[in-house]
Amino acid sequence: MTKRATGRRPRTSKRTNTSRRRSTRRLPINRAQVSWLGGLLLLGVALVTLLSLLPLNRGAATEWWIGVLAQALGWGRYAVPVALTVLGLWLMTRLTNTPLRMPWMRFFGAFLLLVTFLGSSHHLFADREAAVAEGTGGGLLGYYLSLGLEAALGWAGAMVVFAMLLAIGLTLALDLSLEEIVSALASWLQRGRQWLADYRQRRASQRAKLAQEAAARPTPRPQNEPRHAKAPIVNKPSRPVAQQPAAQPPAPPEQPADDEEAMPESLASGTRRWALPPIESLLAPDDDPPTSLRDIREKARLIEDTLGSLGVPVTVVEVNPGPVVTQFGLEPGYVERRDRKGKVRRMKIQVAKIASLANDLALALAAAPIRIEAPVPGKGVVGVEVPNREMSMVGLRSVMESDEFAELSAYPLALGFGRDVSGAPVVDDLASLPHLLIAGATNSGKSVCINALIACLLCRNTPDDLRLLLVDPKRVELSSYNGIPHLIAPVVVEPARVVGVLKWLANEMDRRYQVFAEAGARNLQAYNIKMVAQGDPKLPHIVMFIDELADLMMVAPDDIERLICRIAQLSRATGIHLVIATQRPSVDVVTGLIKANFPARLSFLVSSQVDSRVIIDTPGADKLLGQGDGLYMAPDSPKLARIQGCFVSDAELEAIVSYWKGQMPPREEMTRIDPADPKKAVQKPLWPGVKVEIPDADDGDEDDL
């Protein structure tokens, strides 16, 4: 029988019981208090070290401590308080509910940068032993590191190793790739150069302004001239005005006398020559943040893993980072399936399956909403548009300075809408649209888009080439343009007057057709070419902006719809164009007749899918991000283009308006009419030299109604 079978309890040694009693004893303080006291001690040492680095606050102990640090680390002694502070804070918060996060990889990168700096700085000294004694350079650490690398690789080889360690330390400390670091440095250099160029341009403009003000000041009277001297009498018959050369203003150099006969009669008779505003000084450049390549790679991996786990293998073949969203191009993969005969065949993934997994992708990427474009027009990929973490502002200046906009330089009504998902500018000609319908909910970017379009037209057209009609029932969006020479009439803010404005515009359209028929021209361009060849004044384009259509349809829906449809149908050849915006794209506001005559449409964020179908005939506008994110439907493209609209600040708009107001003489009154009354509009011709038949208001044969 074994010992276990006897049932005897095994004996416990006295040593085991003693160790168990000792383990049950508790320390007077717990681990959290020990950690907190250790961190507090390190903070105290860091503060004492920081104060000891100042030559005015040293004692015997601190003098020895600073001497040890100077000889061991050299210039690296100034980094000791920072390292002790970080380590002390980590110890104090290590066992709390909110511990200080210590990214050890970045901490190691910073340590590697410090060691590389100490070694490379000491490597450049001629007398390294003297540098150690003086406490400069890298101290003993830098001395031995430099000496060892030089003995192994030579002086130049040691510098190569230091350069490699510097690149590795920057990559680890900043958690960025070398390409991102170089692109960030290049971006900062570009911003610095741009700021320096703008500063020099502002200084030059200020100097020119001061020089003009100094030249315009009256010359002070000399002290030796008697004050009782009488001024010459210019209205005396014996001394005509022509004999006084000082009273005649000097002729401008850009208008020689022999060119006066070559100018049209309207210009030769004193019509003002206008100068286009410089967009470099009036519009601000873009401030694009650098795109994070690490974030893009992480999102691409998540998209592939998520769809692969759902049985839809795809491969990200291209990435197009934009200002607001980034488009990932997916190439569908293959899956193996058995047919009815039992054979295994490789079948390609259907595009509809990828489009149906938009919500799963939004959950995996923690970004909503996500728009899937299947397929991308002109490409064999499926586009997945994911919102960026940091949105960049699209300025009007960058779009107007692009190559795409330069190709439309021959078109006076070229418009810059914004940038697409790949960052390419989206531009178009208003004369070819020929009208534009804008819709979107409140605070989605409609009024900003209208201001950007008006600013684009004002920067490229003089009042001789373009006239504007602005309707603003909200009274605060377009009223700042009052006073510019492009306006036919002041900004219309009363909805009851809009019917009269539209009637005047329809009458002007009919009058232009009559003028074209008499001149034998088919459109405005052909008519202006003939008028310029004959020396007669040409007709400008007319663009009418309506900021809110829903408010006008509540006042007079029948008249507004009839006049808008008639103008939109016939006004293309006469150079008259409409840009209409509304925040309620319902069927009673944007009727079928209005939609049929507005093939070009721009939809921002709307509240429902029904409104999206009303404005762009397809869903998608209800999944936009707002703040300028829109879908543009061009009349010559069957697919929608997602764009980020241009942003023009109030300061830029004020600068453009002030520029045009500054070109108007102080006492010159521009020829304007009041189109609110159709009778007044017919009686007053808009441009000189055009004969208009005035109807007889007292004709008794006409009915009062």
Side-chain angles (χ1 to χ4, degrees), residues 189-205:
L189 290 177
Q190 183 66 24
R191 293 179 187 176
R193 292 176 182 175
Q194 184 65 36
W195 179 85
L196 185 60
D198 294 342
Y199 176 75
R200 290 177 178 176
Q201 187 174 5
R202 288 195 302 268
R203 292 290 298 174
S205 61

Side-chain angles (χ1 to χ4, degrees), residues 270-272 274 485 663-672:
T271 302
R272 184 175 181 82
W274 306 94
Q663 291 198 49
M664 297 178 62
R667 295 186 179 180
E668 180 182 357
E669 296 181 358
M670 297 298 297
T671 303
R672 287 189 176 88

Side-chain angles (χ1 to χ4, degrees), residues 12 63 94 217 243 282 326 383 458 594 606 638 660 685 696:
T12 304
E63 187 73 27
R94 186 168 63 94
R217 293 173 184 172
Q243 295 180 2
L282 298 182
T326 299
L458 292 180
I594 294 179
V606 294
W660 282 113
D696 189 3

Side-chain angles (χ1 to χ4, degrees), residues 1 36 58 70 228 276 548 667:
M1 182 178 295
W36 190 86
R58 288 186 183 178
H228 60 275
L276 293 177
E548 184 52 59
R667 295 186 179 180

